[in-house]
Each structure stands twice: as C-alpha cells, then as structure tokens.
C-alpha cells in the first residue's frame, strides 16, 4: 500500500469516529469517501458522484477552488431546500496535496432550540405585559384623582386585584415549568399511593366544581384487585399537580351542571391508567397534538378570561415524562374530552 493510500484509510477510520459528517473530494469535485453521518444527511450514493450535485449552493464551486489553492478558514452556511428545514455549516480544507476534506456540522437542532427560546421569551413578555399595562392604567387613573365615587374605585381595585393575581399565577407556573423541565431526566424513587392522592385532589377542586354545579366522581372499580391500592414511583407534589391541572381544566372547559369522571384502571400489565373525562365543547382534532405546547390555547381570549396561563398542560406533560408515563388526549366535539395518563406500577403492587 502506498503512503498516500494508507493516509486515506486512516482518514476514513477517523471519519467513522465523528458525529459530524465528513466527505473527501478530489480537486475536480468527485467524492471519494463519505462517513456514516454524511450519508445520513445527504443519502446513500455519494461516492463517485460530484459534490456539486450533492451540495446545491451557488458558492460551493468557488470555495472548493479556493481550498484546492490551499486557502484555509473556508466556511459556508448551507440550507437545503427541502420540506423539513435543515441547516448545515460546511468547513473545507485541503489535506496536504491530496483531497479536500469537507466537515459537515448539523446546526438544525441548535437553530430550532434558539427559535424555541426566542419564542418563549417573546411569549412570556407578552403575557406579562397585558396585565401590567392594565394595572398601570388603573393606577394612573386613580392617582389623577378623577375617580370620585367609591363604587367605581372598588370596581377598579377588583380588576387590579385580578390582574395582579394573573401575573402571580403566571410566575408560579413559569417556576413550576422550569423546575420540572430541569428534573425531567431524574426518575423519582419515592412511592405514591394513587387512591389517596386522587381523592384529595378531588376534594381540593370541590369548591370550583360547585360554582358551576358540577360533580366530580372518582371511580376505582376498574382496578383488578380492589384490595391493594396501586403504587407508583413518584413525587407526591408533582403527581398532585398533574391531576389538579387536569381536573381544573375539566371544570373550566366543562359544561355547567355536568359530571366529571376521575377513573382509575389497573389492567394487570404493570401499568395503571387514570382517565379524567368531562362533558364539554371538546377540542378539534387538529389542536390535540399541540395542547401540551407552552402557551398553546385553542381560544386564547376565553382561556385568559377564565384565568388560564396556557402553561398547565405543558407542566403536566413534563411531569408525566419524568415519571416515564404517557398522556393521551381524545375528544368528541360537543360531547366529551378525555385525558388518559398511564404510569408504570411499582413491581408487585
Ligand atoms: N378539558 C378540556 N376541554 C376542552 N379544552 C381543553 C381542556 N383542557 C385543556 N383544553 C384546551 O387546552 C388549552 C391548554 O390548556 P392549559 O395548558 O391547561 O392552559 P389554560 O387552561 O391555562 O388555558 C386550553 O386553553 C384549552 O383550549
Ligand atoms: Mg389549565
């Protein structure tokens, strides 16, 4: 084997250790080697083809010529025009007098994360700004001395009280969300007894339900063995938060004078399932997959009016993930909406 060939084999072997794509091309653009990540990005049959048919960027020809001429620090941002948007950064360098190496860094994930972060900051600012603007407006009006009658003053103060509470709910939910996001990868090691927990959540929502003349019914007859209460590995406060959020939604978005069912099933496969079912207008199918996104609300104005922050289900989703559970949402318009939660049971419980 010639010295040059040996070097090429070594480069190929190094290529297989990389997470980034690596392609070797001859000075005329013919591809002579591509590692697995490069194949994943750009398809199977790279070797033998021209790089200009693979990377369809107006500057790639010039850049390759510059690399062949020995120029360094050559970089290119490449966004293939495809349905799924991806972004790559390409780095070119000639290896001694041999082929040109193209390193392909996949920037898609990083770009998406940045977008998520930017959107999140924009959403939070927007959500905080509206109650704040309203509060500031009322304070200004009261300070100007224009409000003479005390009935009006009381009315203003009540609105201000509502707005302040809205901001505080939002901040609470944001803190909850950031805490559960950070802890998502840690599986809890304490155990939680679900019957007790569900009954106490039901009791804590009784007043809210009463106001709409709704009834919350707990059903635990779906459990195979009514004697041993289902135990799961979990954090008591977090599991409580899940069902408080789901029941609160059921009350908020359910019809007056209707029933809410909280049913627990233990179907003997090491899993326990809890359904929260309410009668109400329901959710159109197209919205279902997005309900657990932060700030996603089917009817923003309505959710705001009844005190929602749009973060409840995002928190629910993260807590369920942490507990290695699953959330399924189904809805029949004008009839019922069902949130099903599955948790793995503590073995033997
Ligand atoms: N039981 C339900 N019935 C109908 N729609 C619901 C129900 N639960 C949640 N939703 C929809 O999902 C959205 C997101 O819920 P959530 O994250 O709890 O935010 P919030 O309740 O603060 O608006 C709600 O705005 C509502 O549109
Ligand atoms: Mg909610």
């Amino acid at each position: 084997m010639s010295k040059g060939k040996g070097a090429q084999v070594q480069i190929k072997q190094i290529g297989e250790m990389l997470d980034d794509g690596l392609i070797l091309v001859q000075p005329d653009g013919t591809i002579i080697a591509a590692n697995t990540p490069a194949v994943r990005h750009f398809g199977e049959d790279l070797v033998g083809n021209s790089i200009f048919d693979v990377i369809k960027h107006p500057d790639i020809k010039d850049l390759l010529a510059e690399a062949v001429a020995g120029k360094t620090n050559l970089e290119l941002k490449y966004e293939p025009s495809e349905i799924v948007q991806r972004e790559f950064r390409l780095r070119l360098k000639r290896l001694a007098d041999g082929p040109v190496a193209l390193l392909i860094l996949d920037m898609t994930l990083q770009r998406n994360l940045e977008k998520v972060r930017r959107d999140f900051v924009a959403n939070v600012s927007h959500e905080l700004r509206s109650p704040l603007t309203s509060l500031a407006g009322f304070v200004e009006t009261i300070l100007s001395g224009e409000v003479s009658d005390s009935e009006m003053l009381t009315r203003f103060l009540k609105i201000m009280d509502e707005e302040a509470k809205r901001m505080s709910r939002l901040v609470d939910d944001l803190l909850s969300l950031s805490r559960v996001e950070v802890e998502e990868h840690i599986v809890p090691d304490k155990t939680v007894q679900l019957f007790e927990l569900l009954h106490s959540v039901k009791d804590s929502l009784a007043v809210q339900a009463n106001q709409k003349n709704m009834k919350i019914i707990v059903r635990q007859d779906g459990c195979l063995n009514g004697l041993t209460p289902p135990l799961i590995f979990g954090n008591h406060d977090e599991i409580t938060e899940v069902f408080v959020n789901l029941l609160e939604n059921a009350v908020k978005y359910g019809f007056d004078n209707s029933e809410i069912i909280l049913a627990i099933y233990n179907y003997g496969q090491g899993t326990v399932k809890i359904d929260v079912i309410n009668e109400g207008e329901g959710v159109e199918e197209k919205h279902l997959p997005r309900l657990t996104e932060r700030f996603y609300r089917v009817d923003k104005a309505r959710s705001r009016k009844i005190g929602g922050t749009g973060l409840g289900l995002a928190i629910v989703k993260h807590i369920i993930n942490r507990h290695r559970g699953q959330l399924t949402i189904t809805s029949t318009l004008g009839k019922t909406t069902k949130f099903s939660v599955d948790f793995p049971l503590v073995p033997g419980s």
Side-chain angles (χ1 to χ4, degrees):
M1 200 189 295
S2 76
K3 223 169 124 197
K5 262 265 152 63
Q8 250 183 52
V9 170
Q10 281 173 357
I11 289 165
K12 272 193 187 170
Q13 286 175 352
I14 292 170
E16 287 314 317
M17 295 173 72
L18 295 176
D19 290 331
D20 300 312
L22 183 70
I23 295 179
L24 297 182
V25 300
Q26 281 169 349
D28 70 356
T30 309
I31 299 172
I32 50 175
N35 70 350
T36 308
V39 168
R40 212 171 44 235
H41 293 325
F42 300 124
E44 288 288 347
D45 31 53
L46 292 176
V47 174
N49 272 322
S50 166
I51 191 71
F52 309 129
D53 293 331
V54 176
I55 312 284
K56 297 193 175 89
H57 190 289
D59 298 340
I60 183 74
K61 255 196 174 110
D62 291 346
L63 223 67
L64 183 65
E66 288 180 41
V68 171
K71 221 175 141 193
T72 51
N73 294 330
L74 297 171
E75 268 202 14
L76 188 71
K77 187 168 122 181
Y78 177 50
E79 294 172 311
S81 46
E82 293 163 355
I83 299 166
V84 179
Q85 280 198 353
R86 294 186 298 166
E87 179 182 324
F88 298 103
R89 186 173 298 159
L90 311 183
R91 235 172 248 163
L92 287 83
K93 190 178 183 315
R94 187 163 194 190
L95 306 172
D97 282 334
V100 173
L102 254 102
L103 188 66
I104 300 140
L105 309 166
D106 188 353
M107 310 303 285
T108 315
L109 180 65
Q110 189 177 330
R111 189 185 60 175
N112 290 352
L113 288 177
E114 269 165 29
K115 183 176 176 337
V116 167
R117 194 190 57 80
R118 269 200 313 272
D119 288 354
F120 183 61
V121 172
N123 273 324
V124 170
S125 321
H126 178 79
E127 296 289 335
L128 281 171
R129 183 168 320 120
S130 54
L132 201 53
T133 309
S134 155
L135 263 177
F138 283 112
V139 169
E140 202 174 309
T141 312
I142 294 169
L143 278 179
S144 73
E146 280 165 32
V147 189
S148 45
D149 97 66
S150 77
E151 218 169 90
M152 197 190 245
L153 184 63
T154 310
R155 205 160 48 104
F156 282 7
L157 287 174
K158 272 199 180 132
I159 301 173
M160 292 166 72
D161 184 43
E162 266 310 307
E163 298 293 0
K165 282 187 182 134
R166 176 200 303 286
M167 288 174 72
S168 123
R169 267 197 309 271
L170 188 61
V171 172
D172 284 347
D173 278 356
L174 284 170
L175 289 175
S176 252
L177 186 62
S178 84
R179 195 194 61 239
V180 297
E181 272 180 339
V182 169
E183 289 174 352
E184 190 166 331
H185 65 289
I186 311 167
V187 186
D189 55 2
K190 297 228 166 41
T191 55
V192 173
Q193 209 275 73
L194 284 174
F195 285 169
E196 259 170 48
L197 186 145
L198 293 177
H199 281 281
S200 81
V201 170
K202 175 204 158 185
D203 293 342
S204 70
L205 269 274
V207 175
Q208 255 169 284
N210 256 334
Q211 283 169 355
K212 291 182 72 180
N213 196 28
M214 294 169 109
K215 214 164 141 190
I216 304 173
I217 298 166
V218 181
R219 284 211 185 130
Q220 56 194 55
D221 45 343
C223 285
L224 289 180
N225 176 353
L227 300 172
T228 26
L231 269 191
I232 60 168
F233 283 114
N235 174 303
H236 191 276
D237 291 350
E238 289 188 1
I239 301 290
T240 302
E241 204 170 344
V242 166
F243 292 103
V244 166
N245 270 307
L246 293 181
L247 271 187
E248 237 173 36
N249 282 347
V251 172
K252 283 196 322 196
Y253 302 106
F255 291 141
D256 287 11
N257 314 312
S258 66
E259 283 181 352
I260 294 168
I261 312 267
L262 187 58
I264 177 162
Y265 306 89
N266 164 3
Y267 43 91
Q269 250 119 56
T271 317
V272 64
K273 184 161 86 102
I274 303 106
D275 286 345
V276 181
I277 309 165
N278 74 273
E279 294 165 29
E281 279 164 30
V283 185
E284 260 182 89
E285 176 124 26
K286 66 173 182 199
H287 296 293
L288 291 180
R290 301 199 58 192
L291 289 190
T292 55
E293 287 176 18
R294 302 183 280 200
F295 296 116
Y296 192 85
R297 286 168 282 197
V298 176
D299 182 342
K300 216 167 187 146
R302 175 151 173 240
S303 153
R304 278 227 186 97
K305 216 168 103 198
I306 51 183
T309 60
L311 294 174
L313 289 180
I315 295 171
V316 164
K317 174 84 185 187
H318 281 288
I319 296 177
I320 293 174
N321 283 349
R322 176 177 183 208
H323 289 79
R324 304 303 182 256
Q326 233 175 353
L327 175 69
T328 322
I329 314 172
T330 47
S331 188
T332 315
L333 282 181
K335 290 220 161 80
T336 52
T337 303
K338 177 164 90 177
F339 287 78
S340 282
V341 188
D342 280 46
F343 287 120
L345 282 166
V346 172
S349 81

